Amino acid sequence: MEIAGRDARRVLGIAGELEDAGSERELRGRALGALMELIPADAGQAYRLSVDGAGVSALSVPEDSFHADPRVIYDHPLDHPLTGIMLETPTSAAWRVSDVAGDRQWRRTHCFNLDFRPFGLRRHLVATAGAGQGAVEGYALVRSGADFSERERDLLGFAQLQLAAVERRLADRQRLLAFSDAALALATSHGWGVAVRGEDGRAQPLNALAADLLTVVRDDPRLADEHRFTVRDVEVRPVPPAAPELPALVLLRDLARGRAAARLFGVTEQEHRTLRQLHDGRTATEAARRMGLSPTTVRGYIASLHRKLEAGHTAALLRRGRDLGLLSD
């Protein structure tokens, strides 16, 4: 496949413009329009078909320009059902398929189903690629009149490869967004505000609780640090990015409710701090180091907590603290 520099730049420009697509359907619809300008055609189709018959999809422009069922290929001047062997051997090349009356030099291709109405007046240009095990997908163009050239065949094949890469990146972004939405919902359900931290250290809220709590700590210079801190009943926990391309997050928790519950049960501020240290998985010695106190003092706080909350062991103490509202998950 040889692509001239100007043609390559045009294809790469199309791929770059599609990077902001919000869904696969939007991407493929915009790609079809761009391909039909790049390679003049009367109609275009984006298609996908898996060997088990599931996941069949087709998007056609104009909508009624292709056969309604994409499970058909061209092998000679008749529609053929798609066979398993063809699905198992997809190619990234583009193929020219001319259905000129009297021309029987057809080349087998993974093209999906243009409707022959009327037969003998259309020519097809098809690009296909594997979509995992036992599946093919790609783009098809059709026009009447002049046949597609070898240059146009190579151009569509190159475009197919670039568009497939854009689709993979879109799928990765969508998976990441789904995970992010699930994590945000989980954090919110457990009483955490979530904010994203910009390069300037300023945090922007991602949920309503974070918006409320940021009014208390927004101007605190420690927001730009990597260390956890507490100010005015708000606990702030920076979360480093999971990958270089991802932003840093800030978790915020309202301690006022827990402290009010602690006072209701006669739990002192230091005892409540100790309880939160245990809830974070620290031992008495580790909690003492974090709090700047002696281990003996912290063990005394723990013994007092067991007595006040009527809990016989650490697991029961933490469960009791959550049940009474002194702790959040």
Side-chain angles (χ1 to χ4, degrees):
M1 181 187 299
E2 294 184 3
I3 304 296
R6 178 174 177 272
D7 287 338
R9 287 192 295 273
R10 291 174 66 192
V11 171
L12 294 175
I14 290 171
E17 292 173 358
L18 294 173
E19 289 285 356
D20 65 348
S23 67
E24 180 185 289
R25 186 170 183 83
E26 177 192 349
L27 189 157
R28 291 190 160 206
R30 289 167 57 186
L32 277 174
L35 288 176
M36 290 167 64
E37 290 184 9
L38 178 72
I39 303 171
D42 299 329
Q45 185 186 65
Y47 57 84
R48 175 180 293 150
L49 182 61
S50 58
V51 69
D52 59 6
V56 176
S57 65
L59 176 64
S60 302
V61 177
E63 187 174 345
D64 61 350
S65 56
F66 283 75
H67 196 285
D69 182 0
R71 289 170 290 187
V72 181
I73 66 166
Y74 297 104
D75 178 65
H76 53 75
L78 293 174
D79 290 337
H80 266 234
L82 189 63
T83 61
I85 186 63
M86 290 185 178
L87 280 174
E88 293 168 5
T89 56
T91 171
S92 60
W95 299 80
R96 291 187 305 158
V97 185
S98 301
D99 58 334
V100 177
D103 178 1
R104 295 298 179 263
Q105 301 302 314
W106 288 56
R107 305 189 64 179
R108 176 161 292 197
T109 167
H110 297 291
C111 163
F112 296 91
N113 55 44
L114 208 45
D115 204 353
F116 289 85
R117 290 180 295 197
F119 170 73
L121 298 180
R122 292 184 173 179
R123 304 165 191 270
H124 321 286
L125 186 63
V126 184
T128 68
Q133 182 64 32
V136 291
E137 62 180 342
Y139 292 86
L141 300 177
V142 60
R143 72 186 180 201
S144 57
D147 199 356
F148 293 99
S149 66
E150 291 296 310
R151 169 186 167 274
E152 290 171 326
R153 185 201 68 182
D154 291 345
L155 196 54
L156 182 60
F158 179 63
Q160 160 68 27
L161 294 175
Q162 302 305 315
L163 293 173
V166 175
E167 287 195 26
R168 287 194 298 271
R169 290 192 289 273
L170 172 62
D172 289 342
R173 289 199 305 273
Q174 290 178 324
R175 281 193 293 271
L176 181 59
L177 286 172
F179 287 137
S180 299
D181 288 344
L184 184 59
L186 181 63
T188 302
S189 69
H190 287 287
W192 285 94
V194 185
V196 61
R197 190 172 63 189
E199 294 181 358
D200 59 356
R202 297 184 65 82
Q204 298 298 323
L206 296 181
N207 60 5
L209 182 56
D212 290 339
L213 298 181
L214 279 174
T215 60
V216 178
V217 301
R218 187 178 295 279
D219 296 327
D220 196 302
R222 289 175 291 180
L223 269 179
D225 297 336
E226 298 299 328
H227 304 292
R228 172 178 168 181
F229 66 93
T230 301
V231 58
R232 294 170 56 188
D233 286 337
V234 178
E235 179 185 353
V236 180
R237 291 190 185 186
V239 180
E245 67 273 15
L246 299 178
L249 297 178
V250 178
L251 299 180
L252 304 103
R253 181 164 58 183
D254 186 357
L255 301 179
R257 183 178 302 176
R259 287 175 172 171
R263 288 193 295 271
L264 183 64
F265 290 94
V267 174
T268 68
E269 177 65 26
Q270 290 290 63
E271 290 169 348
H272 193 210
R273 286 184 62 199
T274 301
L275 183 62
R276 294 203 305 273
Q277 294 291 330
L278 297 178
H279 188 238
D280 288 339
R282 297 186 179 90
T283 64
T285 302
E286 292 169 338
R289 188 180 305 116
R290 294 279 302 209
M291 296 169 67
L293 301 172
S294 71
T296 301
T297 299
V298 170
R299 289 191 185 96
Y301 291 151
I302 294 174
S304 179
L305 285 165
H306 281 291
R307 184 178 63 257
K308 291 178 180 180
L309 300 184
E310 300 178 350
H313 51 80
T314 302
L317 179 64
L318 297 178
R319 184 168 59 250
R320 184 73 169 152
R322 289 191 293 269
D323 291 344
L324 297 176
L326 281 69
L327 297 171
S328 61
D329 288 334

